[in-house]
Amino acid sequence: MKIIEKNVPIPEAPKTEAFCPGKHPLFLDIETTGLSADRSQVYLVGCCYPAGNTWRFAQWFAENPRDEEMLLKKFQDFTEPFDLLIHFNGDHFDLPFLHRRAAHYGIQDHFMELPSLDLYKRLRPCKDFLRLPNCKLKTIETFLGLGREDEYNGGQLIDVYREYVRQPDAHSEHLLLLHNEEDILGMPRLLPALTYADFLGGRFSVEELMDREKGETADTFLLRLSLCFPQPVFFQENEWQGYLRESALRLTVPRFQGELKYFLPDYRSYYYLPAEDTAVHKSVAAYVDRDFRRPATPKTCYLRREGTFLKLPGDMGRQVFRPEFGGDCYLEESEPAFEDPAFLEEYLKRLACLLH
């Protein structure tokens, strides 16, 4: 078995403390001879972790299948100081595979017990939002502008490993180690992409309303967020549009000019007056001839308002106006709420829920 250890610079990698505060993380990836842990083996485990101002990188390479047991024991011992495993689809594949292979040799392991952060799970809900064709590691790296030398995938390298076991050579070994190394060293550079998952999950705050422009059909808000996005993203949801760039969001909110209705909550306390097309409280309607009034229903218990309104992503617990019962919600454009970062934060988080 070969063990490779070295310091590596990862200039694009952010401080892990920003994404997993208080943790001592270990990034890991494995290479196997197949997908089934019952019929296949682990032939390579790679990992990296922050070490001061640099990164430490290590690989355990089984030069033949007989090395697998030693590889698993060495890696199991190596993980002891760490309290967080970071991987890409490791919850589904890497960790269960390591656990099953350790059990095959009677090794007591903790691969399934350590806290873990699965980058694939966190980023998968962002696929459509980021307009990605899939959520593969190389696809996300390309989106982030990260290059790599390796041109193979894990499945293609299985035959390369089998041929290496039969007849070892330096070129095949380089291909096997390079693929794993680039997968590993790419993972810390994926961390900034988690900001998109945080945005869609509402895990952010609006720090400042920097500007507001009023137009004929929409108002545009320029907001500073607590997140910093590695690549600019444009999104659209119905009539809303947004452009994320670094820590700024330019949000276009649709505007309505005309008459809307405010539906009163306690319709049983009101009468509807068809001639007036409005609802009045029973205490007032008692003086109206019975022929000109009828008990209000949820759909007829409303007051009409002419004005300029901005669309809401839901009622947001406020006095909202609608074109019809159960229709889209609007708030008067003049409401002070649209100048309040706390309200805009709630507004944006509700809108983000619609983007999934």
Side-chain angles (χ1 to χ4, degrees):
M1 182 181 73
K2 284 190 176 180
I3 301 177
I4 299 99
E5 293 187 84
K6 58 186 177 180
N7 289 336
V8 290
I10 312 180
E12 302 93 342
K15 296 291 185 182
T16 57
E17 182 67 21
F19 297 91
C20 41
K23 294 293 184 180
H24 189 199
L26 180 70
F27 295 80
L28 72 95
D29 184 54
I30 70 173
E31 309 299 334
T32 70
T33 59
L35 298 178
S36 170
D38 295 326
R39 298 186 298 274
S40 308
Q41 294 180 302
V42 180
Y43 70 82
L44 179 59
V45 175
C47 69
C48 73
Y49 57 95
N53 294 324
T54 186
W55 287 77
R56 191 70 178 160
F57 174 79
Q59 286 176 307
W60 294 262
F61 178 51
E63 297 174 274
N64 59 70
R66 296 187 300 277
D67 289 343
E68 184 188 33
E69 181 177 3
M70 184 187 302
L71 180 155
L72 292 167
K73 287 180 178 178
K74 291 288 187 182
F75 184 64
Q76 159 77 7
D77 293 341
F78 184 85
T79 60
E80 288 290 345
F82 299 93
D83 55 9
L84 179 67
L85 301 179
I86 303 180
H87 40 74
F88 194 86
N89 201 31
D91 284 350
H92 176 72
F93 183 73
D94 301 61
L95 301 184
F97 202 105
L98 288 169
H99 177 68
R100 292 290 295 274
R101 295 311 297 167
H104 174 77
Y105 295 106
I107 301 171
Q108 289 292 115
D109 72 279
H110 56 213
F111 298 127
M112 300 298 292
E113 298 168 4
L114 280 172
S116 73
L117 170 59
D118 192 327
L119 297 175
Y120 172 76
K121 277 187 177 179
R122 287 285 304 276
L123 294 173
R124 183 176 54 188
C126 305
K127 181 177 79 71
D128 293 338
F129 178 70
L130 299 177
R131 295 181 171 85
L132 302 178
N134 55 59
C135 206
K136 295 178 180 179
L137 180 59
K138 289 184 179 180
T139 301
I140 298 173
E141 288 176 345
T142 300
F143 167 76
L144 294 175
L146 306 175
R148 59 157 64 200
E149 181 182 343
D150 165 56
E151 297 179 357
Y152 292 85
N153 61 46
Q156 293 170 324
L157 290 172
I158 293 174
D159 288 338
V160 176
Y161 177 70
R162 287 173 177 160
E163 180 61 24
Y164 174 87
V165 171
R166 191 180 67 83
Q167 189 171 351
D169 69 273
H171 178 67
S172 296
E173 180 179 309
H174 172 74
L175 292 179
L176 296 166
L177 296 178
L178 176 65
H179 172 78
N180 179 256
E181 178 173 343
E182 293 203 337
D183 276 356
I184 288 293
L185 299 185
M187 278 188 222
R189 300 187 297 171
L190 291 189
L191 289 177
L194 295 178
T195 53
Y196 301 109
D198 288 337
F199 176 74
L200 294 179
R203 295 180 291 273
F204 63 86
S205 60
V206 171
E207 303 290 300
E208 180 187 4
L209 170 60
M210 296 186 288
D211 193 20
R212 178 182 178 182
E213 300 175 3
K214 298 182 179 182
E216 291 185 7
T217 60
D219 281 14
T220 301
F221 296 83
L222 184 61
L223 307 173
R224 182 167 59 86
L225 307 183
S226 59
L227 303 174
C228 186
F229 302 95
Q231 292 291 339
V233 171
F234 171 82
F235 65 85
Q236 183 164 359
E237 171 61 30
N238 291 327
E239 300 169 84
W240 287 282
Q241 292 182 352
Y243 182 67
L244 294 165
R245 183 181 176 88
E246 297 179 345
S247 293
L249 166 64
R250 189 173 185 85
L251 180 66
T252 302
V253 177
R255 169 193 276 202
F256 176 84
Q257 179 75 43
E259 183 182 271
L260 293 177
K261 301 170 182 176
Y262 170 62
F263 288 86
L264 298 156
D266 185 15
Y267 70 91
R268 292 183 178 86
S269 298
Y270 290 83
Y271 279 107
Y272 174 65
L273 308 183
E276 304 289 339
D277 189 22
T278 190
V280 296
H281 195 270
K282 286 184 175 180
S283 61
V284 177
Y287 301 101
V288 178
D289 191 294
R290 291 177 181 272
D291 293 336
F292 296 94
R293 73 186 193 198
R294 59 174 181 253
T297 67
K299 293 183 178 182
T300 61
C301 192
Y302 55 76
L303 305 176
R304 293 178 295 141
R305 177 73 63 88
E306 185 82 23
T308 303
F309 307 84
L310 294 182
K311 193 172 184 178
L312 300 178
D315 64 28
M316 299 183 66
R318 292 176 175 266
Q319 182 174 310
V320 300
F321 296 85
R322 306 173 188 263
E324 58 189 18
F325 184 77
D328 291 336
C329 299
Y330 292 82
L331 194 63
E332 289 185 290
E333 184 192 46
S334 59
E335 278 283 346
F338 286 112
E339 303 292 334
D340 179 10
F343 171 80
L344 293 172
E345 180 177 318
E346 181 188 359
Y347 186 106
L348 188 53
K349 288 180 178 180
R350 285 175 175 261
L351 179 59
C353 289
L354 303 177
L355 299 174
H356 289 277

